[in-house]
Amino acid sequence: MTSASLIIRNAQVLLPSGEMASKEVAVSDGKITAVGTGLSVSNNIKVIDGSGLTLLPGVIDPQVHFRDPGLEHKEDLFTATCACARGGVTSFLEMPNTLPLTITQEILTDKLAIAAAKSLVNYGFFIGATADNLPDLREAHPTCGIKIFMGSAHGPLSVDTEKTIEPIFAVGDRLIAVHAEDQARIMERRKLFAGQTDPATHSKIQDNQTALNATKLALKLSKKYQRRLHILHLSTGEEAELLRRDKPSWVTTEVTPQHLLLDVSAYEKIGTLAQMNPPLKSERDREILWQALLDGIIDFIATDHAPHTLEEKGRGYPNTPSGMPGVETSLPLMLTQAKENRCTVAQVSNWMSTAVAQAYQIPNKGLIEPGYDADLVLVDLSTYRPVLREELQTKCGWSPFEGWTLTGWPVVTIVGGQVVYDHGKIDTSVRGQALRFE
Ligand code: DOR
């Protein structure tokens, strides 16, 4: 008899081979114990009927801003992870621009404690680089890596010259994730466009060259020190083509659903809700990014979930903050693309789970296989539903994709064997665990 406290029956299961098959998945003590047919389990366990549904590994979102502590008027770890539960996101890696900034062991430890108390899904945190916290960057534990804001940040997290960035690449061996925009160029171009209030100006100021300059510098330093580099939210065709020509084996990169699906035309429809960093680019950039993703130049997908209130977004450009929420729409957005034959469901799951677990060396996640953690999402690939503001769980209460009709919405989300989301209901008593990084 298979040891199980929970069994999912009748679903189409995405197997590690990439094939879909009708299988049963048994879960015990937070782990997958068996994947098979006609599994023998005891009678009194929880049964989830997956008829008509597809079972995927839970999404691991490797770039989010959940605002807790310090900016809880925008989002907090409870509301953000309710949104994760609804979006099929079972683990996340969060950025250091919370208050206080996550730049020391003590602050990282505090953040882990807040997450243990509030997070419905599994969590990991970046440590932020400043010009003078090298010992913290080397020692802090546990962390998925070092985040460097080469541009688009202010205050101590802005580490934006080769002179300040190079020592971080030179010392230590843990992963460095870069927000690659050239801050000096941004400052110059802000002067050129001073007085402009059209939000589309944002993409003109922080143009393709702004992103390319910083990506080139990060690549140069990574090669000089053979340092593990991850380039966050790639936004331009030029960066994708550069990496197509020259991407060392120790470098990875990601793209967001919004850089694949929205472009500068979005400003006309949703104004400053389309404002983010790095900014949306042209339709041509989107096409090149898509091809780079399909060709394996881009390794995986992150949302850069970065909520701001509608009041903040209504202040009028350029007084508006950059960023948009994403965790509760990313999986249906990408699965809708799969249904439209832009890619396959197996590719989406690889980009949103398996490849992320590999890149960040998160053990036992990202596959549906015995011994792996029972972080799972059952999605409905036959029904289409719109993105509705009133259903959003994120505290900011809006999405750039409102009104888009999507398929692949999660029906059940499971974190460590616990059902956290079930047909529209969130079990707010569920808590995730701190991720480990090997
Ligand atoms: O648009 C963005 N907003 N990009 C970032 O990298 C940071 C983020 C934020 O924290 O608001």
Side-chain angles (χ1 to χ4, degrees), residues 65 67 97 149 179 233 276-277 304 306 308 322-323:
H65 302 264
R67 312 300 193 204
N97 58 337
F149 279 93
H179 178 127
H233 41 37
M276 72 169 294
N277 294 330
D304 193 17
H308 299 283
S322 295

Side-chain angles (χ1 to χ4, degrees), residues 261-307:
L261 299 171
L262 300 175
D263 52 51
V264 287
S265 66
Y267 293 114
E268 280 161 42
K269 295 181 208 112
I270 58 171
T272 58
L273 299 187
Q275 181 191 331
M276 72 169 294
N277 294 330
L280 299 176
K281 304 290 190 321
S282 70
E283 190 181 347
R284 182 170 175 275
D285 289 294
R286 283 205 295 123
E287 292 304 322
I288 300 174
L289 291 170
W290 260 113
Q291 198 54 53
L293 180 64
L294 291 166
D295 293 343
I297 308 296
I298 297 178
D299 300 87
F300 49 82
I301 287 174
T303 65
D304 193 17
H305 179 96

Side-chain angles (χ1 to χ4, degrees), residues 356-425:
V356 179
Q358 278 166 6
Y360 283 95
Q361 297 186 273
I362 306 170
N364 301 325
K365 296 209 187 279
L367 290 175
I368 302 178
E369 189 161 62
Y372 274 66
D373 294 338
D375 295 340
L376 300 162
V377 57
L378 257 181
V379 298
D380 179 355
L381 284 164
S382 57
T383 312
Y384 281 77
R385 279 172 57 74
V387 178
L388 297 174
R389 183 170 285 197
E390 56 270 27
E391 291 180 354
L392 295 171
Q393 297 295 320
T394 172
K395 196 186 277 187
C396 73
W398 59 274
S399 162
F401 299 105
E402 279 168 56
W404 288 43
T405 300
L406 306 177
T407 191
W409 286 98
V411 177
V412 176
T413 306
I414 298 171
V415 174
Q418 313 162 87
V419 177
V420 68
Y421 178 80
D422 191 353
H423 292 84
K425 288 211 173 54

Side-chain angles (χ1 to χ4, degrees), residues 18-33:
E19 284 164 300
M20 289 285 182
S22 182
K23 297 274 183 199
E24 296 170 348
V25 176
V27 170
S28 179
D29 285 331
K31 298 264 182 210
I32 297 167
T33 49

Side-chain angles (χ1 to χ4, degrees), residues 83-103:
C84 286
R86 177 167 182 250
V89 176
T90 52
S91 299
F92 64 83
L93 305 180
E94 209 255 1
M95 287 296 165
N97 58 337
T98 37
L99 294 175
L101 305 172
T102 318
I103 53 176

Side-chain angles (χ1 to χ4, degrees), residues 203 206-213 236-239 281-282 285:
S203 295
Q206 293 172 224
D207 64 352
N208 290 36
Q209 194 66 46
T210 301
L212 184 63
N213 289 354
T236 70
E238 286 85 342
E239 291 164 285
K281 304 290 190 321
S282 70
D285 289 294

